[in-house]
Amino acid sequence: MERYADIILKRALRLRQGDVLSINTEEENSSFAHLIANKARAITGNGSYIQNIENGKVTESEEVATDYAIEKKPTALLYLPVYREYGKAEDGAQLSAPEIQRFRHLSEPLDNSDPLIPFASAPVPSDAWGHILDEDGNLSLSASILSDLLNLGEDDYLEEKEEVDLLFYERDRLNELGLVNGRIMDEEGTDLSFSFLPGSEFATTAMTLRNGRRFIPTIYASDIFRALDWKSANGYFTATRPFMLFGHIVRHFSAKVENGKITDFSSDNVSSRLIRLYLEQEENAGYISELGLAEENSSAGCIEYFALPEWDRMRCSFITLGGPKPDSLKNDEARGNANDSLLTLSIPIGSDTAIITAQDGDGNEFTIMEDGFIKEEY
């Protein structure tokens, strides 16, 4: 946990001298929050705010790791969520936004503005998280998953990595191509054609503020994504890795797509019930709205399942049903034409046999993903 705190502060939030950190958490994570605050002081020279949350509301706020009153508003934010058991989604239920959020399928508002200060959300190992990963799992299992992702057992765990620089480089190269449509083909059961949403560009989970400061809101980042014209996809696809739906692990899922919408699918009995429930929540929940690219030789790609959608989508290339992330929407026209579904669900479709091709406005074709890697040359 000492090393995890280092990663959060130095590689995700990239705290600087003079910063003031605000940590939002619940009582279960109080000791970790104080550990982070003490480590933050060594970097910033300032204390931190810790705000205790109960039932979504701040119940207590304190200034910690300081000998004097903090005379500055927060310049960086950190959220330490508590992983909870999901419970059961009942057949035919119409879920409210808080219930959808509880199952981690609530989409982001498409008009989200760019953040002004770094903000990160850092999951904390727990028995509940370990139990979702495996019925017999516990805190040690979730801690092991976290350690594997962030290489916490290695001596060089804090060395500056090239992954984020490479993400920005690959994002910019893809945007230079001026791509307008694409196709995913895989012998494992995918052949899907689509068009990119006009006014969208490739984006990454790693972010850059207007002042040039970089940070990683999900602690780890390895994906590049772009919104699609959500009524353009046609063909069929097969999930290549397990994914989470309403707190349940879906291991097998194939679907037919017509004009962007899932029109038929197959899975096991329990998963089929939950997929049907997802599709029934909203008319637009079953439309493909986003393509994501993630290389399979990354730390995330080596892990089968996180039970955290924000990391599960980074294991390999994926498509998203429902609402896309707003980061790739670059103007009001794109935001107005994107799928505004309240729900979102990312499905892994990448493999070492998948090929993703795309065309520019002049009809020139490029292979952008092959053998599990983003192509170095197009």
Side-chain angles (χ1 to χ4, degrees), residues 83-107 132 243-250 270-282 285 305 307-309 312 321 341-346:
Y83 203 111
R84 302 194 183 285
E85 297 284 355
Y86 287 98
K88 184 179 178 182
E90 300 293 338
D91 289 353
Q94 284 297 308
L95 303 177
S96 64
E99 290 171 321
I100 296 169
Q101 176 66 15
R102 175 167 64 91
F103 288 112
R104 299 175 183 264
H105 298 309
L106 186 68
S107 63
I132 289 292
F243 61 93
M244 185 173 68
L245 180 59
F246 295 129
H248 169 78
I249 301 176
V250 178
V270 174
S271 297
S272 291
R273 178 181 68 80
L274 294 175
I275 292 164
R276 227 174 348 259
L277 178 63
Y278 173 87
L279 296 174
E280 290 171 353
Q281 293 304 305
E282 251 188 17
Y305 183 61
L308 292 170
D312 279 325
L321 300 179
S341 173
L342 190 67
L343 288 86
T344 189
L345 174 65
S346 291

CSV table of all heavy atoms in Angstrom, one decimal, residues 83-107 132 243-250 270-282 285 305 307-309 312 321 341-346:
chain,number,residue,atom,x,y,z
A,83,TYR,N,-15.3,-0.7,-2.5
A,83,TYR,CA,-15.8,-1.7,-3.4
A,83,TYR,C,-16.9,-2.5,-2.6
A,83,TYR,O,-16.6,-3.0,-1.5
A,83,TYR,CB,-14.8,-2.7,-3.9
A,83,TYR,CG,-15.1,-3.4,-5.1
A,83,TYR,CD1,-14.4,-3.1,-6.3
A,83,TYR,CD2,-16.1,-4.3,-5.2
A,83,TYR,CE1,-14.8,-3.8,-7.5
A,83,TYR,CE2,-16.4,-5.0,-6.3
A,83,TYR,CZ,-15.8,-4.7,-7.5
A,83,TYR,OH,-16.1,-5.4,-8.6
A,84,ARG,N,-18.1,-2.5,-3.1
A,84,ARG,CA,-19.2,-3.1,-2.4
A,84,ARG,C,-19.8,-4.3,-3.2
A,84,ARG,O,-19.7,-4.3,-4.4
A,84,ARG,CB,-20.3,-2.1,-2.1
A,84,ARG,CG,-19.8,-0.9,-1.3
A,84,ARG,CD,-21.0,-0.1,-0.7
A,84,ARG,NE,-20.5,1.0,0.0
A,84,ARG,CZ,-20.0,1.0,1.2
A,84,ARG,NH1,-19.8,-0.1,1.9
A,84,ARG,NH2,-19.6,2.1,1.8
A,85,GLU,N,-20.4,-5.2,-2.5
A,85,GLU,CA,-21.2,-6.3,-3.2
A,85,GLU,C,-22.3,-5.6,-4.1
A,85,GLU,O,-22.9,-4.6,-3.7
A,85,GLU,CB,-21.8,-7.2,-2.2
A,85,GLU,CG,-20.7,-8.0,-1.4
A,85,GLU,CD,-20.0,-9.1,-2.1
A,85,GLU,OE1,-20.4,-9.3,-3.3
A,85,GLU,OE2,-19.1,-9.7,-1.5
A,86,TYR,N,-22.5,-6.2,-5.2
A,86,TYR,CA,-23.5,-5.6,-6.1
A,86,TYR,C,-24.9,-5.9,-5.8
A,86,TYR,O,-25.8,-5.1,-6.2
A,86,TYR,CB,-23.2,-6.0,-7.6
A,86,TYR,CG,-21.9,-5.4,-8.1
A,86,TYR,CD1,-20.7,-6.1,-8.1
A,86,TYR,CD2,-22.0,-4.1,-8.6
A,86,TYR,CE1,-19.6,-5.5,-8.6
A,86,TYR,CE2,-20.8,-3.5,-9.1
A,86,TYR,CZ,-19.6,-4.2,-9.1
A,86,TYR,OH,-18.5,-3.6,-9.6
A,87,GLY,N,-25.2,-7.1,-5.3
A,87,GLY,CA,-26.6,-7.5,-5.1
A,87,GLY,C,-27.1,-8.0,-6.4
A,87,GLY,O,-26.3,-8.3,-7.4
A,88,LYS,N,-28.4,-8.2,-6.6
A,88,LYS,CA,-29.0,-8.8,-7.7
A,88,LYS,C,-29.8,-7.9,-8.5
A,88,LYS,O,-30.6,-7.1,-7.9
A,88,LYS,CB,-29.8,-10.1,-7.3
A,88,LYS,CG,-30.4,-10.8,-8.5
A,88,LYS,CD,-31.2,-12.0,-8.0
A,88,LYS,CE,-31.8,-12.8,-9.1
A,88,LYS,NZ,-32.6,-14.0,-8.6
A,89,ALA,N,-29.7,-7.9,-9.8
A,89,ALA,CA,-30.6,-7.1,-10.7
A,89,ALA,C,-31.8,-7.9,-11.1
A,89,ALA,O,-31.6,-9.0,-11.7
A,89,ALA,CB,-29.8,-6.6,-11.9
A,90,GLU,N,-33.0,-7.5,-10.7
A,90,GLU,CA,-34.2,-8.3,-11.0
A,90,GLU,C,-34.6,-8.2,-12.4
A,90,GLU,O,-34.5,-7.1,-13.0
A,90,GLU,CB,-35.3,-7.8,-10.0
A,90,GLU,CG,-35.0,-7.9,-8.6
A,90,GLU,CD,-34.9,-9.3,-8.1
A,90,GLU,OE1,-35.5,-10.2,-8.8
A,90,GLU,OE2,-34.3,-9.6,-7.0
A,91,ASP,N,-35.2,-9.3,-12.9
A,91,ASP,CA,-35.7,-9.3,-14.3
A,91,ASP,C,-36.8,-8.3,-14.4
A,91,ASP,O,-37.6,-8.1,-13.6
A,91,ASP,CB,-36.3,-10.7,-14.6
A,91,ASP,CG,-35.2,-11.8,-14.8
A,91,ASP,OD1,-34.0,-11.4,-14.8
A,91,ASP,OD2,-35.6,-12.9,-14.9
A,92,GLY,N,-36.8,-7.5,-15.6
A,92,GLY,CA,-37.8,-6.6,-15.9
A,92,GLY,C,-37.7,-5.3,-15.1
A,92,GLY,O,-38.5,-4.4,-15.3
A,93,ALA,N,-36.7,-5.1,-14.2
A,93,ALA,CA,-36.6,-3.9,-13.4
A,93,ALA,C,-36.2,-2.7,-14.3
A,93,ALA,O,-35.4,-2.9,-15.2
A,93,ALA,CB,-35.6,-4.1,-12.3
A,94,GLN,N,-36.7,-1.6,-14.0
A,94,GLN,CA,-36.3,-0.3,-14.6
A,94,GLN,C,-35.4,0.4,-13.6
A,94,GLN,O,-35.9,0.9,-12.6
A,94,GLN,CB,-37.5,0.5,-15.1
A,94,GLN,CG,-38.1,0.0,-16.3
A,94,GLN,CD,-37.2,0.0,-17.5
A,94,GLN,OE1,-36.6,1.1,-17.8
A,94,GLN,NE2,-37.1,-1.1,-18.2
A,95,LEU,N,-34.1,0.5,-13.9
A,95,LEU,CA,-33.2,0.9,-12.9
A,95,LEU,C,-33.0,2.5,-12.9
A,95,LEU,O,-33.0,3.1,-14.0
A,95,LEU,CB,-31.8,0.3,-13.1
A,95,LEU,CG,-31.8,-1.2,-13.1
A,95,LEU,CD1,-30.4,-1.7,-13.5
A,95,LEU,CD2,-32.2,-1.8,-11.8
A,96,SER,N,-32.9,3.1,-11.8
A,96,SER,CA,-32.7,4.5,-11.7
A,96,SER,C,-31.2,4.8,-11.9
A,96,SER,O,-30.3,3.9,-11.9
A,96,SER,CB,-33.0,5.0,-10.3
A,96,SER,OG,-32.2,4.4,-9.3
A,97,ALA,N,-30.8,6.0,-12.1
A,97,ALA,CA,-29.4,6.4,-12.3
A,97,ALA,C,-28.5,5.9,-11.2
A,97,ALA,O,-27.5,5.4,-11.4
A,97,ALA,CB,-29.3,7.9,-12.6
A,98,PRO,N,-28.9,6.2,-9.9
A,98,PRO,CA,-28.1,5.7,-8.8
A,98,PRO,C,-27.9,4.1,-8.8
A,98,PRO,O,-26.8,3.6,-8.5
A,98,PRO,CB,-28.8,6.1,-7.5
A,98,PRO,CG,-29.6,7.3,-8.0
A,98,PRO,CD,-30.0,7.0,-9.4
A,99,GLU,N,-28.9,3.4,-9.2
A,99,GLU,CA,-28.8,2.0,-9.3
A,99,GLU,C,-27.9,1.6,-10.4
A,99,GLU,O,-27.1,0.6,-10.3
A,99,GLU,CB,-30.2,1.3,-9.5
A,99,GLU,CG,-31.1,1.4,-8.3
A,99,GLU,CD,-32.5,0.9,-8.6
A,99,GLU,OE1,-33.0,1.3,-9.6
A,99,GLU,OE2,-33.1,0.3,-7.7
A,100,ILE,N,-28.0,2.2,-11.6
A,100,ILE,CA,-27.1,2.0,-12.7
A,100,ILE,C,-25.6,2.3,-12.3
A,100,ILE,O,-24.7,1.5,-12.6
A,100,ILE,CB,-27.5,2.8,-13.9
A,100,ILE,CG1,-28.9,2.4,-14.4
A,100,ILE,CG2,-26.4,2.7,-15.0
A,100,ILE,CD1,-29.4,3.3,-15.4
A,101,GLN,N,-25.4,3.4,-11.5
A,101,GLN,CA,-24.1,3.7,-11.0
A,101,GLN,C,-23.6,2.6,-10.1
A,101,GLN,O,-22.4,2.3,-10.1
A,101,GLN,CB,-24.1,5.1,-10.3
A,101,GLN,CG,-22.8,5.5,-9.7
A,101,GLN,CD,-21.7,5.8,-10.7
A,101,GLN,OE1,-22.0,5.9,-11.9
A,101,GLN,NE2,-20.5,5.8,-10.2
A,102,ARG,N,-24.4,2.1,-9.3
A,102,ARG,CA,-24.0,1.0,-8.3
A,102,ARG,C,-23.4,-0.2,-9.1
A,102,ARG,O,-22.5,-0.8,-8.6
A,102,ARG,CB,-25.2,0.6,-7.5
A,102,ARG,CG,-24.9,-0.6,-6.5
A,102,ARG,CD,-26.1,-0.7,-5.5
A,102,ARG,NE,-27.3,-1.1,-6.2
A,102,ARG,CZ,-27.8,-2.3,-6.4
A,102,ARG,NH1,-27.0,-3.3,-6.0
A,102,ARG,NH2,-28.9,-2.5,-6.9
A,103,PHE,N,-24.0,-0.4,-10.2
A,103,PHE,CA,-23.5,-1.5,-11.1
A,103,PHE,C,-22.4,-1.1,-12.0
A,103,PHE,O,-21.9,-1.9,-12.8
A,103,PHE,CB,-24.6,-2.2,-11.9
A,103,PHE,CG,-25.6,-3.0,-11.1
A,103,PHE,CD1,-26.9,-2.5,-10.9
A,103,PHE,CD2,-25.2,-4.2,-10.5
A,103,PHE,CE1,-27.8,-3.3,-10.1
A,103,PHE,CE2,-26.1,-4.9,-9.7
A,103,PHE,CZ,-27.4,-4.5,-9.5
A,104,ARG,N,-22.0,0.2,-11.9
A,104,ARG,CA,-20.9,0.7,-12.7
A,104,ARG,C,-21.2,0.8,-14.2
A,104,ARG,O,-20.3,0.6,-15.1
A,104,ARG,CB,-19.6,-0.1,-12.5
A,104,ARG,CG,-19.1,-0.1,-11.0
A,104,ARG,CD,-17.9,-1.0,-10.8
A,104,ARG,NE,-17.5,-1.0,-9.4
A,104,ARG,CZ,-16.6,-0.2,-8.9
A,104,ARG,NH1,-15.9,0.6,-9.6
A,104,ARG,NH2,-16.3,-0.3,-7.6
A,105,HIS,N,-22.4,1.0,-14.6
A,105,HIS,CA,-22.8,1.1,-16.0
A,105,HIS,C,-23.4,2.5,-16.3
A,105,HIS,O,-24.0,2.6,-17.4
A,105,HIS,CB,-23.8,0.0,-16.4
A,105,HIS,CG,-23.3,-1.4,-16.2
A,105,HIS,ND1,-22.1,-1.8,-16.8
A,105,HIS,CD2,-23.8,-2.5,-15.6
A,105,HIS,CE1,-21.9,-3.0,-16.5
A,105,HIS,NE2,-22.9,-3.5,-15.7
A,106,LEU,N,-23.2,3.5,-15.5
A,106,LEU,CA,-23.7,4.8,-15.7
A,106,LEU,C,-22.7,5.6,-16.7
A,106,LEU,O,-21.6,5.7,-16.3
A,106,LEU,CB,-23.9,5.6,-14.4
A,106,LEU,CG,-24.6,6.9,-14.5
A,106,LEU,CD1,-26.0,6.8,-15.0
A,106,LEU,CD2,-24.5,7.7,-13.2
A,107,SER,N,-23.2,6.1,-17.8
A,107,SER,CA,-22.4,6.8,-18.7
A,107,SER,C,-22.1,8.2,-18.2
A,107,SER,O,-22.8,8.7,-17.3
A,107,SER,CB,-23.0,6.8,-20.1
A,107,SER,OG,-24.2,7.6,-20.0
A,132,ILE,N,-15.6,-10.7,-5.6
A,132,ILE,CA,-16.2,-10.6,-6.9
A,132,ILE,C,-15.3,-11.3,-7.9
A,132,ILE,O,-15.7,-11.9,-8.9
A,132,ILE,CB,-16.4,-9.1,-7.3
A,132,ILE,CG1,-17.5,-8.5,-6.5
A,132,ILE,CG2,-16.6,-8.9,-8.8
A,132,ILE,CD1,-18.9,-9.0,-6.9
A,243,PHE,N,-16.3,-10.1,-19.2
A,243,PHE,CA,-16.6,-8.7,-18.8
A,243,PHE,C,-17.7,-8.7,-17.8
A,243,PHE,O,-18.4,-9.7,-17.6
A,243,PHE,CB,-16.9,-7.8,-20.0
A,243,PHE,CG,-18.2,-8.3,-20.8
A,243,PHE,CD1,-19.4,-7.7,-20.5
A,243,PHE,CD2,-18.1,-9.2,-21.8
A,243,PHE,CE1,-20.5,-8.1,-21.2
A,243,PHE,CE2,-19.2,-9.6,-22.5
A,243,PHE,CZ,-20.4,-9.1,-22.2
A,244,MET,N,-17.9,-7.6,-17.1
A,244,MET,CA,-18.8,-7.5,-16.0
A,244,MET,C,-20.1,-6.9,-16.5
A,244,MET,O,-20.1,-5.9,-17.2
A,244,MET,CB,-18.2,-6.7,-14.9
A,244,MET,CG,-19.1,-6.7,-13.6
A,244,MET,SD,-18.3,-5.9,-12.2
A,244,MET,CE,-18.3,-4.2,-12.8
A,245,LEU,N,-21.2,-7.5,-16.1
A,245,LEU,CA,-22.6,-6.9,-16.4
A,245,LEU,C,-23.4,-7.1,-15.1
A,245,LEU,O,-23.7,-8.3,-14.7
A,245,LEU,CB,-23.2,-7.6,-17.6
A,245,LEU,CG,-24.6,-7.1,-18.0
A,245,LEU,CD1,-24.5,-5.6,-18.3
A,245,LEU,CD2,-25.1,-7.9,-19.2
A,246,PHE,N,-23.9,-6.0,-14.5
A,246,PHE,CA,-24.7,-6.0,-13.3
A,246,PHE,C,-24.1,-6.9,-12.3
A,246,PHE,O,-24.7,-7.7,-11.6
A,246,PHE,CB,-26.1,-6.5,-13.6
A,246,PHE,CG,-26.9,-5.6,-14.5
A,246,PHE,CD1,-27.5,-6.0,-15.7
A,246,PHE,CD2,-26.9,-4.2,-14.3
A,246,PHE,CE1,-28.2,-5.1,-16.5
A,246,PHE,CE2,-27.6,-3.3,-15.1
A,246,PHE,CZ,-28.2,-3.8,-16.2
A,247,GLY,N,-22.7,-6.8,-12.1
A,247,GLY,CA,-22.0,-7.6,-11.1
A,247,GLY,C,-21.8,-9.0,-11.4
A,247,GLY,O,-21.3,-9.8,-10.5
A,248,HIS,N,-22.1,-9.5,-12.6
A,248,HIS,CA,-22.0,-10.9,-13.0
A,248,HIS,C,-20.9,-10.9,-14.1
A,248,HIS,O,-20.8,-10.1,-14.9
A,248,HIS,CB,-23.3,-11.4,-13.5
A,248,HIS,CG,-23.2,-12.7,-14.2
A,248,HIS,ND1,-23.1,-13.9,-13.6
A,248,HIS,CD2,-23.2,-13.0,-15.6
A,248,HIS,CE1,-23.1,-14.9,-14.4
A,248,HIS,NE2,-23.1,-14.4,-15.6
A,249,ILE,N,-20.1,-12.0,-14.1
A,249,ILE,CA,-19.1,-12.2,-15.1
A,249,ILE,C,-19.7,-12.9,-16.3
A,249,ILE,O,-20.2,-14.0,-16.2
A,249,ILE,CB,-17.9,-13.1,-14.6
A,249,ILE,CG1,-17.3,-12.4,-13.3
A,249,ILE,CG2,-16.9,-13.2,-15.7
A,249,ILE,CD1,-16.2,-13.3,-12.7
A,250,VAL,N,-19.7,-12.2,-17.4
A,250,VAL,CA,-20.1,-12.7,-18.7
A,250,VAL,C,-18.9,-13.3,-19.4
A,250,VAL,O,-18.0,-12.6,-19.7
A,250,VAL,CB,-20.8,-11.7,-19.6
A,250,VAL,CG1,-21.2,-12.3,-20.9
A,250,VAL,CG2,-22.0,-11.1,-18.8
A,270,VAL,N,-27.8,-17.4,-17.6
A,270,VAL,CA,-27.7,-16.2,-16.7
A,270,VAL,C,-27.3,-15.0,-17.4
A,270,VAL,O,-27.9,-13.9,-17.2
A,270,VAL,CB,-26.8,-16.6,-15.5
A,270,VAL,CG1,-26.6,-15.3,-14.6
A,270,VAL,CG2,-27.3,-17.8,-14.7
A,271,SER,N,-26.3,-15.1,-18.2
A,271,SER,CA,-25.8,-13.9,-18.9
A,271,SER,C,-26.8,-13.4,-19.9
A,271,SER,O,-27.0,-12.1,-20.0
A,271,SER,CB,-24.5,-14.2,-19.6
A,271,SER,OG,-23.5,-14.6,-18.7
A,272,SER,N,-27.5,-14.2,-20.6
A,272,SER,CA,-28.6,-13.8,-21.5
A,272,SER,C,-29.7,-13.0,-20.8
A,272,SER,O,-30.1,-12.0,-21.3
A,272,SER,CB,-29.2,-15.0,-22.2
A,272,SER,OG,-28.3,-15.6,-23.1
A,273,ARG,N,-30.0,-13.5,-19.6
A,273,ARG,CA,-31.0,-12.7,-18.8
A,273,ARG,C,-30.5,-11.3,-18.5
A,273,ARG,O,-31.3,-10.3,-18.6
A,273,ARG,CB,-31.3,-13.5,-17.5
A,273,ARG,CG,-32.3,-12.8,-16.6
A,273,ARG,CD,-32.5,-13.5,-15.3
A,273,ARG,NE,-31.4,-13.6,-14.5
A,273,ARG,CZ,-31.0,-12.6,-13.6
A,273,ARG,NH1,-31.7,-11.4,-13.6
A,273,ARG,NH2,-30.0,-12.7,-12.9
A,274,LEU,N,-29.3,-11.2,-18.1
A,274,LEU,CA,-28.8,-9.8,-17.8
A,274,LEU,C,-28.5,-9.0,-19.0
A,274,LEU,O,-28.7,-7.7,-18.9
A,274,LEU,CB,-27.5,-10.0,-17.0
A,274,LEU,CG,-27.6,-10.7,-15.6
A,274,LEU,CD1,-26.3,-10.9,-15.0
A,274,LEU,CD2,-28.5,-9.8,-14.7
A,275,ILE,N,-28.1,-9.6,-20.1
A,275,ILE,CA,-28.0,-8.8,-21.4
A,275,ILE,C,-29.3,-8.3,-21.8
A,275,ILE,O,-29.4,-7.1,-22.2
A,275,ILE,CB,-27.3,-9.7,-22.4
A,275,ILE,CG1,-25.9,-10.0,-22.1
A,275,ILE,CG2,-27.4,-9.0,-23.8
A,275,ILE,CD1,-25.3,-11.1,-22.9
A,276,ARG,N,-30.3,-9.1,-21.7
A,276,ARG,CA,-31.7,-8.7,-22.0
A,276,ARG,C,-32.1,-7.5,-21.1
A,276,ARG,O,-32.7,-6.5,-21.6
A,276,ARG,CB,-32.7,-9.8,-21.9
A,276,ARG,CG,-33.6,-10.0,-23.1
A,276,ARG,CD,-34.5,-11.2,-23.1
A,276,ARG,NE,-34.2,-12.2,-22.1
A,276,ARG,CZ,-33.5,-13.3,-22.4
A,276,ARG,NH1,-33.0,-13.6,-23.6
A,276,ARG,NH2,-33.3,-14.2,-21.5
A,277,LEU,N,-31.8,-7.6,-19.8
A,277,LEU,CA,-32.2,-6.6,-18.9
A,277,LEU,C,-31.5,-5.3,-19.2
A,277,LEU,O,-32.1,-4.2,-19.2
A,277,LEU,CB,-31.8,-7.0,-17.5
A,277,LEU,CG,-32.0,-6.0,-16.3
A,277,LEU,CD1,-33.5,-5.7,-16.2
A,277,LEU,CD2,-31.5,-6.5,-15.0
A,278,TYR,N,-30.2,-5.4,-19.6
A,278,TYR,CA,-29.4,-4.2,-20.0
A,278,TYR,C,-30.1,-3.5,-21.3
A,278,TYR,O,-30.3,-2.3,-21.3
A,278,TYR,CB,-28.0,-4.6,-20.3
A,278,TYR,CG,-27.2,-3.4,-20.9
A,278,TYR,CD1,-26.5,-2.5,-20.1
A,278,TYR,CD2,-27.1,-3.3,-22.3
A,278,TYR,CE1,-25.8,-1.5,-20.7
A,278,TYR,CE2,-26.4,-2.2,-22.9
A,278,TYR,CZ,-25.7,-1.3,-22.1
A,278,TYR,OH,-25.1,-0.3,-22.6
A,279,LEU,N,-30.4,-4.3,-22.3
A,279,LEU,CA,-31.0,-3.8,-23.5
A,279,LEU,C,-32.4,-3.2,-23.3
A,279,LEU,O,-32.8,-2.3,-24.0
A,279,LEU,CB,-31.0,-4.9,-24.6
A,279,LEU,CG,-29.7,-5.5,-25.0
A,279,LEU,CD1,-29.9,-6.6,-26.0
A,279,LEU,CD2,-28.8,-4.4,-25.7
A,280,GLU,N,-33.1,-3.7,-22.3
A,280,GLU,CA,-34.4,-3.2,-22.0
A,280,GLU,C,-34.4,-1.8,-21.2
A,280,GLU,O,-35.5,-1.2,-21.1
A,280,GLU,CB,-35.2,-4.2,-21.2
A,280,GLU,CG,-35.6,-5.5,-22.0
A,280,GLU,CD,-36.1,-6.6,-21.1
A,280,GLU,OE1,-36.1,-6.4,-19.8
A,280,GLU,OE2,-36.5,-7.6,-21.6
A,281,GLN,N,-33.3,-1.4,-20.7
A,281,GLN,CA,-33.3,-0.2,-19.8
A,281,GLN,C,-33.6,1.0,-20.6
A,281,GLN,O,-34.2,1.9,-20.1
A,281,GLN,CB,-31.9,-0.1,-19.1
A,281,GLN,CG,-31.7,-1.2,-18.1
A,281,GLN,CD,-32.7,-1.2,-17.0
A,281,GLN,OE1,-33.1,-0.2,-16.4
A,281,GLN,NE2,-33.3,-2.4,-16.9
A,282,GLU,N,-33.1,1.1,-21.9
A,282,GLU,CA,-33.2,2.2,-22.7
A,282,GLU,C,-33.1,1.8,-24.2
A,282,GLU,O,-32.4,0.9,-24.5
A,282,GLU,CB,-32.0,3.2,-22.4
A,282,GLU,CG,-32.4,4.4,-21.7
A,282,GLU,CD,-31.2,5.4,-21.6
A,282,GLU,OE1,-30.2,5.2,-22.4
A,282,GLU,OE2,-31.2,6.3,-20.8
A,285,ALA,N,-29.5,1.9,-25.4
A,285,ALA,CA,-28.4,1.2,-24.7
A,285,ALA,C,-27.8,0.1,-25.5
A,285,ALA,O,-26.6,-0.2,-25.3
A,285,ALA,CB,-29.0,0.6,-23.4
A,305,TYR,N,-9.2,-10.5,-15.8
A,305,TYR,CA,-10.4,-9.8,-15.3
A,305,TYR,C,-10.1,-9.0,-14.1
A,305,TYR,O,-9.5,-9.5,-13.2
A,305,TYR,CB,-11.4,-10.9,-15.0
A,305,TYR,CG,-12.8,-10.4,-14.6
A,305,TYR,CD1,-13.6,-9.6,-15.4
A,305,TYR,CD2,-13.3,-10.8,-13.4
A,305,TYR,CE1,-14.8,-9.2,-15.1
A,305,TYR,CE2,-14.6,-10.3,-13.0
A,305,TYR,CZ,-15.3,-9.5,-13.8
A,305,TYR,OH,-16.5,-9.1,-13.4
A,307,ALA,N,-12.8,-6.9,-12.7
A,307,ALA,CA,-14.1,-6.6,-12.1
A,307,ALA,C,-14.2,-5.1,-11.9
A,307,ALA,O,-14.9,-4.6,-11.0
A,307,ALA,CB,-14.3,-7.3,-10.8
A,308,LEU,N,-13.5,-4.3,-12.7
A,308,LEU,CA,-13.6,-2.8,-12.7
A,308,LEU,C,-13.7,-2.4,-14.2
A,308,LEU,O,-12.7,-2.6,-14.9
A,308,LEU,CB,-12.3,-2.2,-12.1
A,308,LEU,CG,-12.1,-2.4,-10.5
A,308,LEU,CD1,-10.7,-1.9,-10.2
A,308,LEU,CD2,-13.2,-1.6,-9.8
A,309,PRO,N,-14.8,-1.9,-14.6
A,309,PRO,CA,-14.9,-1.6,-16.0
A,309,PRO,C,-13.9,-0.6,-16.6
A,309,PRO,O,-13.4,-0.8,-17.7
A,309,PRO,CB,-16.3,-1.0,-16.1
A,309,PRO,CG,-17.1,-1.6,-15.0
A,309,PRO,CD,-16.1,-1.7,-13.9
A,312,ASP,N,-11.0,-3.0,-17.1
A,312,ASP,CA,-11.3,-4.1,-18.0
A,312,ASP,C,-11.3,-3.7,-19.4
A,312,ASP,O,-10.9,-4.5,-20.3
A,312,ASP,CB,-12.6,-4.8,-17.6
A,312,ASP,CG,-12.5,-5.7,-16.4
A,312,ASP,OD1,-11.5,-6.4,-16.3
A,312,ASP,OD2,-13.5,-5.8,-15.6
A,321,LEU,N,-21.1,-0.2,-25.9
A,321,LEU,CA,-22.6,-0.1,-26.2
A,321,LEU,C,-23.0,1.1,-25.3
A,321,LEU,O,-22.5,1.3,-24.2
A,321,LEU,CB,-23.3,-1.3,-25.7
A,321,LEU,CG,-23.0,-2.7,-26.5
A,321,LEU,CD1,-23.8,-3.8,-25.9
A,321,LEU,CD2,-23.2,-2.5,-28.0
A,341,SER,N,-27.2,7.8,-24.4
A,341,SER,CA,-27.7,6.8,-23.5
A,341,SER,C,-27.2,7.0,-22.1
A,341,SER,O,-26.0,7.3,-21.9
A,341,SER,CB,-27.4,5.4,-24.0
A,341,SER,OG,-27.8,4.4,-23.0
A,342,LEU,N,-28.0,6.7,-21.1
A,342,LEU,CA,-27.7,6.8,-19.7
A,342,LEU,C,-26.7,5.6,-19.3
A,342,LEU,O,-26.0,5.7,-18.3
A,342,LEU,CB,-28.9,6.7,-18.8
A,342,LEU,CG,-28.8,7.0,-17.4
A,342,LEU,CD1,-28.4,8.5,-17.1
A,342,LEU,CD2,-30.1,6.7,-16.7
A,343,LEU,N,-26.7,4.5,-20.1
A,343,LEU,CA,-26.0,3.4,-19.8
A,343,LEU,C,-24.7,3.2,-20.7
A,343,LEU,O,-24.7,3.8,-21.8
A,343,LEU,CB,-26.8,2.1,-19.9
A,343,LEU,CG,-27.9,1.9,-18.9
A,343,LEU,CD1,-29.2,2.6,-19.3
A,343,LEU,CD2,-28.2,0.4,-18.7
A,344,THR,N,-23.8,2.5,-20.2
A,344,THR,CA,-22.6,2.2,-21.0
A,344,THR,C,-22.0,0.9,-20.6
A,344,THR,O,-22.1,0.4,-19.5
A,344,THR,CB,-21.5,3.3,-20.8
A,344,THR,OG1,-20.5,3.1,-21.8
A,344,THR,CG2,-20.9,3.3,-19.4
A,345,LEU,N,-21.5,0.2,-21.6
A,345,LEU,CA,-20.9,-1.2,-21.4
A,345,LEU,C,-19.9,-1.4,-22.5
A,345,LEU,O,-20.2,-1.4,-23.7
A,345,LEU,CB,-22.1,-2.2,-21.5
A,345,LEU,CG,-21.6,-3.7,-21.5
A,345,LEU,CD1,-21.0,-4.0,-20.1
A,345,LEU,CD2,-22.8,-4.6,-21.8
A,346,SER,N,-18.6,-1.6,-22.0
A,346,SER,CA,-17.5,-1.9,-23.0
A,346,SER,C,-17.3,-3.4,-23.0
A,346,SER,O,-17.3,-4.1,-22.0
A,346,SER,CB,-16.3,-1.2,-22.5
A,346,SER,OG,-16.4,0.2,-22.6
